[in-house]
């Protein structure tokens, strides 16, 4: 990880997230000035430790509305329809990886 990151500060920040809360990689990336690769490497490590669980969030790129989450990659549909603007969207271009806190002890 980026040597400029204050690890104690990062750990204290993450302790604010309680079980069943969503953690968006962009928050960590911006707050700690990490690359997206460093951010996902770190979050993937927390997933391996059983602290986080990854999900795919579907969103409409036209109206920016979230269409929910899907747990596994192989469960992603090829396309989905926005319930707000009715646009049909390609799933891989309109989803991103987020994390749910599954253990906060």
């Amino acid at each position: 990880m980026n040597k400029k990151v204050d690890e104690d500060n990062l750990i204290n920040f993450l302790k604010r997230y309680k079980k069943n809360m969503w953690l968006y990689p962009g928050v960590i990336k911006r707050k700690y000035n990490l690359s997206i690769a460093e951010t996902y490497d770190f979050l993937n490590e927390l997933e391996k430790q059983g602290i986080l669980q990854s999900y795919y969030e579907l969103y409409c790129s036209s109206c920016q509305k979230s269409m929910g989450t899907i747990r596994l990659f192989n469960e992603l549909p090829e396309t989905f329809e926005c319930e707000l603007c009715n646009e049909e969207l390609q799933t891989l271009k309109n989803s991103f990886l987020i994390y749910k806190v599954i253990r906060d002890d």
Side-chain angles (χ1 to χ4, degrees):
M1 188 179 298
N2 188 329
K3 291 181 175 48
K4 299 177 209 166
V5 173
D6 178 347
E7 290 182 21
D8 290 334
N9 185 310
L10 177 57
I11 290 167
N12 286 330
F13 175 75
L14 291 174
K15 285 182 179 179
R16 295 184 214 167
Y17 285 84
K18 301 300 178 196
K19 190 173 182 178
N20 295 321
M21 290 178 73
W22 293 103
L23 177 58
Y24 285 78
V27 172
I28 302 293
K29 178 187 179 305
R30 284 188 302 275
K31 185 164 180 62
Y32 294 96
N33 197 29
L34 298 171
S35 71
I36 198 66
E38 288 174 313
T39 303
Y40 277 111
D41 286 346
F42 175 68
L43 295 172
N44 286 335
E45 188 56 39
L46 292 178
E47 185 172 27
K48 287 178 190 172
Q49 294 175 23
I51 297 167
L52 302 177
Q53 189 168 57
S54 60
Y55 286 79
Y56 294 89
E57 182 173 47
L58 306 179
Y59 71 97
C60 177
S61 55
S62 295
C63 65
Q64 305 302 311
K65 179 165 176 31
S66 174
M67 296 290 114
T69 59
I70 295 178
R71 172 69 188 105
L72 299 172
F73 182 81
N74 64 354
E75 293 176 353
L76 292 172
E78 198 169 308
T79 62
F80 66 96
E81 185 176 311
C82 176
E83 43 190 59
L84 189 62
C85 69
N86 298 321
E87 185 170 342
E88 186 168 347
L89 303 154
Q90 292 182 334
T91 299
L92 292 181
K93 291 183 179 179
N94 293 279
S95 64
F96 54 94
L97 205 53
I98 62 173
Y99 294 83
K100 187 174 189 177
V101 178
I102 58 172
R103 195 181 89 215
D104 62 5
D105 54 333

